[in-house]
Amino acid sequence: MTEVRKRSVMIAGHPTSVTLEAPFWDALKELAAAEGLSVNALIERVDATRTGNLSSALRVHILAAFRPPGSKPV
């Protein structure tokens, strides 16, 4: 089973916590680095466009980033 990690982050100047499994945190760090952003900045960007739970929105963002271009959901 994958370890779940809860981390505190600042979003728009407000502290909040995000709970993700370790591989998602690793992928989030990788995506942020590739875009020249801090992890917090990437989380803020996802937060600004989400409609539901932040942790879920981050997982969907990460999944979309790692899918091949043009791939369709199964």
Side-chain angles (χ1 to χ4, degrees):
M1 183 126 224
T2 302
E3 178 186 351
V4 177
R5 296 181 187 164
K6 187 174 191 174
R7 298 205 176 150
S8 296
V9 295
M10 293 289 282
I11 298 177
H14 301 284
T16 190
S17 61
V18 178
T19 303
L20 293 172
E21 295 77 10
F24 283 105
W25 281 115
D26 294 341
L28 195 61
K29 289 177 202 171
E30 186 178 327
L31 288 173
E35 295 185 37
L37 299 171
S38 68
V39 172
N40 270 10
L42 181 54
I43 291 172
E44 280 191 65
R45 195 168 74 189
V46 172
D47 180 60
T49 61
R50 73 183 170 106
T51 56
N53 175 282
L54 179 57
S55 294
S56 295
L58 289 168
R59 287 185 191 94
V60 170
H61 178 82
I62 293 163
L63 177 63
F66 282 94
R67 277 201 163 150
S71 68
K72 296 181 181 180
V74 269

